[in-house]
Amino acid sequence: MTSVTNLGFPRIGARRELKRALESHWRGETDAAQLQATAAGLRARHWKLQREAGVDLPPSNDFSLYDHVLDTAFLFDAIPERYRALAERDPLAAYFAMARGLQKPGIDLHALEMTKWFDTNYHYLVPELHAGQRFALRGDKPLAEYREARALGIETRPVLLGPVSFLLLSKTTDGSHPLDLLDALLPVYVQLLTALKDAGAQWVQLDEPVLVQDLDDAARAAFERAYAHLAEAPHPDILLATYFGALDDNLALAAALPVQGLHVDLVRAPEQLDAVLRALPAGRVLSLGLVDGRNIWRNPLDNALILARYARGHRGDGPLWLAPSCSLLHCPVDLTLEKKLDAELRGWLAFSRQKLDELRLLADALDGHAGTEAALAQAREAVEARRRSPRVHNAAVKARVAALTAADATRATPHAQRLPLQAAALRLPPFPTTTIGSFPQTLEVREARARNKAGKLADADYEAFLERQTEQCVREQERIGLDVLVHGEFERNDMVEYFGEQLDGFAFTGNGWVQSYGSRCVKPPVIYGDVSRPAPMTVRWSQYAQSLTDKPMKGMLTGPVTVLQWSFVRDDQERAQTCRQIALALRDEVNDLEAAGIAAIQIDEPALREGLPLRRAQWPAYLGWAVEAFRISASGVGDATQIHTHMCYAQFNDIIDSVAALDADVISIETSRSRMELLDAFARFDYPNQVGPGVYDIHSPRVPDRSEMVDLLRKAAEVLPARKLWVNPDCGLKTRGWAETRAALTALVEAAREMRGEAVAA
Ligand code: GLN
Ligand code: ZN
């Protein structure tokens, strides 16, 4: 008998119920009990849904009020000193303070650093540890959620982040190695596992996704020590879950750990099956990740069935589980709620619920149940129909990509020659100030958009409304005294969706939400066909905004890699190819902006780094085509046109040469949460072009004052020549309110002025 299992279910709710509950709690409209009740309701609904879909042992503790890495840190009492007092008084408030920062009279707490979860667009909070750190169990979240499911009559498999991944995903504040804390950490895992066993849990899932990355000897030794230690005490059977890639050189290590089951990702790495089958001891449970937890295409079940049958043949009667490749956290909830897509497209897709159905069907087919043939045939037809559909192919686009040459990806002269022309055209002072693009998307803006979408606000009235918003935004920026202005992006719902909606080859779901961080969700576009730009996309707004002011107006585009990275991408051609198609569409837009008199154009690539393959050996190939795509989009302009780019939450150390190879005239980056640590890479590498290190953490409602920003700028000026520095926030301001934005940007402009005084004096 083949079991169907699942590594994690989306938390946010099919209608983003968790988002709403969190945000009203943060606004003070609901208390903790009301928030917890919504959370419990979602958990119950999701467990039931998974049971109905035929999942044998659904996961528990995969739910989180904000982030599962933060949950883990909190659970093990890895709470930095600054939150301690609050944590004793009000644990939930402290938890949210760690996630979002907290500022109110008498309290001023910075949030933890946030970064991407492997190569996904999910962000986790980076635990802050230090040498001598003590761990203890705080609360009983995994136990409580296990019991909660049990009370509903549902047996679950609690999910925990494994000890080695937990430590490797953490950072220390004192330069010590997080793995040095392993011995201090393990007793707490033992205590927790024993408690779960006592509570009746048969299985526990320990996620160790770092096993698909390059590990050094210390990390490999940590795995051996950790799991040997866990094996000694009473514990539920342990499923060691690996995902997002192949185990490769870590396979022997993983197979030898004293655990009862191993999950492997056969979507990203189907080729590893044979080696896994040979390495895995008999009797160990093998969980096959056969259905893509990261994408929304219907599974070509025939291929999955071949892999499953092959595994079954090798394992004989040994236990075999079928699962999604990874947690379904990265996939929307339920396709049946999807009303926006046309029937043809919908027929090509599967969301979380449908993926579980696919797995059930695979398991039944594998076990030879009657009646699976028709369903398999139907799946086969859907996949074939997509392959054949004329909507997927555009010969002109394919020809244009084929004709690309190196010259198309190169600007006419080097940056050093371009810069004086640009400085003259833009009339820039030292330490020029700018923002990253978006301004507050107030309730008013979102409501107007929603009413326009619903047909309740006429297009002309909506346009007029947006023009008023843009004008107000321009006036505000003038009042504040910024040097390079932006139009504010009020017309945009989302930085990728907005472009995708105007490009051919993209489709949009009405309800395909996935969690980005905390309560933030995104609805990734679906790239199903060849991409092209039927008409200009942003020119009208940039031109209008520029007409209102003498200050330079920066054009604002989302770069090809980010569009690719934040979409559900077609799986029937190389990603590099799809990326080049997007780059050409953007190149047309960049050229049109320039022709319309826009002298500075920002091409955002916040997702450049998260696209990095998890194995170093695959980096050069990725970086090669990613950098090329950016340059294709940026290289059609004249020397005097200044190309900006922007990245956030990126560790630049190891890709700084590729960041330089983008050859953007100015790059703005997130640095304020890490207190300028990220700049070291730019300094060491002697980054040739201009840099705007973020001095205002926009992911937190905290308003920094001038002296704080001056401190950060001085730190920046210690490692980079002052003449290369720009002054800007960490990222766009769309999630912030106007009052805090105004206050922070006023302080930011004052900080730049103070620096200019210093720079002149120096
Ligand atoms: N221009 C975008 C904005 O300001 C950039 C957002 C991002 O980097 N994620 O919102
Ligand atoms: Zn950003």
Side-chain angles (χ1 to χ4, degrees):
M1 253 275 288
T2 309
S3 296
V4 170
T5 184
N6 183 21
L7 303 195
F9 198 80
R11 311 150 178 162
I12 208 79
R15 295 192 166 78
R16 288 181 297 158
E17 293 87 338
L18 182 60
K19 173 193 179 66
R20 305 232 159 74
L22 282 168
E23 290 174 356
S24 61
H25 177 69
W26 294 335
R27 284 193 302 266
E29 293 161 12
T30 55
D31 61 16
Q34 284 165 293
L35 173 62
Q36 297 291 9
T38 305
L42 282 168
R43 289 193 291 267
R45 193 209 290 166
H46 296 160
W47 285 321
K48 284 182 194 144
L49 178 153
Q50 292 176 83
R51 286 295 297 149
E52 278 162 25
V55 175
D56 293 296
L57 203 60
S60 58
N61 197 43
D62 53 337
F63 181 84
S64 175
L65 284 176
Y66 204 97
D67 163 48
H68 57 278
V69 183
L70 175 60
D71 290 345
T72 312
F74 207 83
L75 177 70
F76 295 147
D77 201 31
I79 299 179
E81 208 42 52
R82 62 183 181 280
Y83 312 104
R84 281 255 157 226
L86 182 60
E88 299 315 323
R89 275 202 319 279
D90 185 347
L92 187 64
Y95 174 86
F96 287 134
M98 288 167 77
R100 318 169 61 228
L102 178 66
Q103 197 176 38
K104 57 185 193 190
I107 300 188
D108 189 2
L109 297 172
H110 297 258
L112 292 180
E113 195 176 322
M114 188 157 64
T115 197
K116 310 266 179 191
W117 173 247
F118 298 86
D119 58 352
T120 73
N121 186 31
Y122 174 82
H123 303 66
Y124 75 92
L125 288 145
V126 183
E128 257 176 44
L129 311 177
H130 57 83
Q133 173 91 42
R134 287 172 198 279
F135 299 98
L137 271 191
R138 170 182 276 274
D140 63 349
K141 180 177 181 293
L143 266 170
E145 290 181 16
Y146 172 75
R147 291 204 182 103
E148 189 179 298
R150 209 170 209 213
L152 297 168
I154 298 174
E155 191 54 36
T156 60
R157 179 177 71 219
V159 181
L160 302 171
L161 183 55
V164 182
S165 291
F166 171 69
L167 289 175
L168 290 179
L169 292 169
S170 300
K171 70 173 205 174
T172 61
T173 45
D174 54 10
S176 60
H177 199 299
L179 283 180
D180 295 346
L181 295 167
L182 186 64
D183 289 336
L185 178 63
L186 289 175
V188 198
Y189 269 93
V190 166
Q191 201 187 333
L192 179 61
L193 292 182
T194 305
L196 285 170
K197 168 127 184 121
D198 291 345
Q202 302 148 19
W203 279 93
V204 64
Q205 172 184 325
L206 291 184
D207 282 357
E208 293 282 14
V210 300
L211 278 167
V212 307
Q213 289 181 300
D214 302 317
L215 295 179
D216 60 17
D217 290 344
R220 301 161 70 88
F223 267 107
E224 283 165 357
R225 218 173 57 249
Y227 284 83
H229 190 92
L230 299 186
E232 278 166 23
H235 60 81
D237 286 346
I238 295 174
L239 176 72
L240 182 72
T242 69
Y243 42 82
F244 299 154
L247 279 161
D248 274 346
D249 56 340
N250 298 324
L251 173 59
L253 170 72
L257 295 177
V259 294
Q260 289 65 47
L262 177 68
H263 172 85
V264 293
D265 184 339
L266 295 182
V267 172
R268 280 281 177 91
E271 72 286 351
Q272 71 174 334
L273 177 59
D274 210 34
V276 169
L277 289 168
R278 275 184 280 116
L280 206 67
R284 183 126 348 147
V285 168
L286 177 57
S287 167
L288 304 177
L290 286 175
V291 165
D292 197 346
R294 302 268 303 261
N295 216 331
I296 39 71
W297 304 108
R298 270 182 89 152
N299 190 287
L301 292 175
D302 290 337
N303 296 347
L305 201 52
I306 290 170
L307 294 176
R309 288 205 169 112
Y310 186 77
R312 171 56 77 217
H314 269 253
R315 305 293 293 170
D317 290 335
L320 197 61
W321 296 356
L322 306 190
S325 57
C326 58
S327 165
L328 295 169
L329 178 64
H330 314 285
C331 191
V333 178
D334 188 355
L335 187 66
T336 61
L337 297 176
E338 185 52 53
K339 304 283 178 255
K340 196 170 155 202
L341 292 175
D342 62 79
E344 182 184 20
L345 259 167
R346 208 167 47 227
W348 301 347
L349 305 183
F351 290 177
S352 295
R353 166 67 213 240
Q354 289 68 40
K355 284 171 189 285
L356 297 175
D357 293 340
E358 290 181 332
L359 286 164
R360 189 68 256 171
L361 175 59
L362 280 171
D364 290 347
L366 189 61
D367 289 346
H369 289 197
T372 56
E373 254 322 306
L376 284 173
Q378 202 209 355
R380 194 173 305 133
E381 257 160 53
V383 172
E384 265 313 305
R386 181 178 149 217
R387 212 190 317 276
R388 282 192 316 262
S389 171
R391 289 168 77 180
V392 172
H393 306 286
N394 179 333
V397 172
K398 291 189 210 293
R400 198 173 167 205
V401 170
L404 278 169
T405 67
D408 295 317
T410 313
R411 290 191 72 177
T413 61
H415 168 78
Q417 282 171 45
R418 304 192 298 260
L419 187 66
L421 301 176
Q422 297 167 7
L426 299 170
R427 284 171 288 132
L428 296 176
F431 296 101
T433 54
T434 190
T435 62
I436 308 305
S438 59
F439 269 76
Q441 291 257 331
T442 54
L443 191 61
E444 196 191 0
V445 172
R446 282 177 284 131
E447 265 174 13
R449 183 182 309 128
R451 284 179 38 233
N452 175 249
K453 265 200 166 161
K456 291 181 198 144
L457 178 65
D459 286 350
D461 295 336
Y462 179 53
E463 291 269 305
F465 168 84
L466 290 174
E467 286 191 355
R468 284 197 302 278
Q469 291 288 323
T470 306
E471 173 160 18
Q472 277 165 25
C473 180
V474 169
R475 297 291 167 248
E476 285 279 2
Q477 293 173 80
E478 287 179 330
R479 249 197 306 277
I480 291 168
L482 289 153
D483 300 308
V484 174
L485 311 194
V486 297
H487 72 280
E489 302 183 17
F490 300 105
E491 75 288 4
R492 302 186 190 175
N493 34 8
D494 171 271
M495 66 185 287
V496 170
E497 186 173 3
Y498 180 73
F499 290 92
E501 275 175 345
Q502 303 184 71
L503 291 168
D504 284 348
F506 282 74
F508 288 84
T509 64
N511 205 43
W513 295 101
V514 290
Q515 191 177 14
S516 172
Y517 65 89
S519 67
R520 287 273 305 153
C521 298
V522 291
K523 205 160 37 123
V526 178
I527 306 180
Y528 65 86
D530 290 331
V531 176
S532 60
R533 186 195 74 146
M537 304 182 281
T538 65
V539 175
R540 175 227 184 292
W541 288 109
S542 291
Q543 207 166 19
Y544 169 69
Q546 182 66 85
S547 76
L548 301 171
T549 179
D550 294 334
K551 292 275 181 85
M553 182 61 54
K554 185 162 62 167
M556 203 56 59
L557 304 173
T558 302
V561 182
T562 299
V563 171
L564 185 82
Q565 203 57 35
W566 292 354
S567 297
F568 288 121
V569 183
R570 59 195 286 191
D571 56 358
D572 59 345
Q573 85 181 0
E574 291 289 323
R575 287 171 75 83
Q577 207 60 1
T578 305
C579 197
R580 285 187 196 103
Q581 295 182 354
I582 303 167
L584 279 171
L586 287 167
R587 179 186 178 95
D588 296 343
E589 185 72 11
V590 170
N591 295 350
D592 284 351
L593 280 170
E594 180 185 55
I598 302 300
I601 300 165
Q602 180 171 311
I603 306 172
D604 291 325
E605 285 291 22
L608 182 79
R609 192 183 202 286
E610 75 187 46
L612 272 183
L614 295 172
R615 294 282 191 169
R616 287 239 175 197
Q618 292 154 18
W619 283 18
Y622 162 76
L623 288 167
W625 62 254
V627 168
E628 179 207 36
F630 180 91
R631 294 173 58 130
I632 290 169
S633 64
S635 295
V637 292
D639 291 347
T641 298
Q642 186 165 68
I643 298 289
H644 290 229
T645 189
H646 164 72
M647 292 178 195
C648 30
Y649 295 117
Q651 299 292 315
F652 295 101
N653 291 321
D654 37 19
I655 57 160
I656 188 74
D657 48 347
S658 298
V659 173
L662 296 176
D663 197 24
D665 297 299
V666 185
I667 178 171
S668 60
I669 53 171
E670 177 272 334
T671 42
S672 78
R673 268 199 188 189
S674 65
R675 313 246 352 124
M676 298 282 147
E677 275 167 33
L678 289 179
L679 271 191
D680 292 347
F682 284 79
R684 262 198 309 279
F685 177 79
D686 194 13
Y687 182 79
N689 302 1
Q690 309 235 306
V691 186
V695 291
Y696 163 28
D697 173 13
I698 62 82
H699 293 90
S700 158
R702 240 189 117 252
V703 174
D705 64 17
R706 177 185 67 190
S707 65
E708 205 173 309
M709 293 196 251
V710 168
D711 276 355
L712 291 175
L713 287 168
R714 286 208 182 109
K715 274 190 147 188
E718 274 167 24
V719 294
L720 288 175
R723 68 188 149 75
K724 286 191 180 174
L725 290 177
W726 283 62
V727 181
N728 46 257
D730 267 345
C731 193
L733 299 162
K734 69 179 192 182
T735 58
R736 301 272 57 95
W738 264 109
E740 50 189 305
T741 294
R742 221 175 265 128
L745 292 182
T746 302
L748 180 144
V749 167
E750 286 170 1
R753 289 192 178 136
E754 193 172 325
M755 292 303 288
R756 280 171 207 159
E758 288 181 3
V760 173

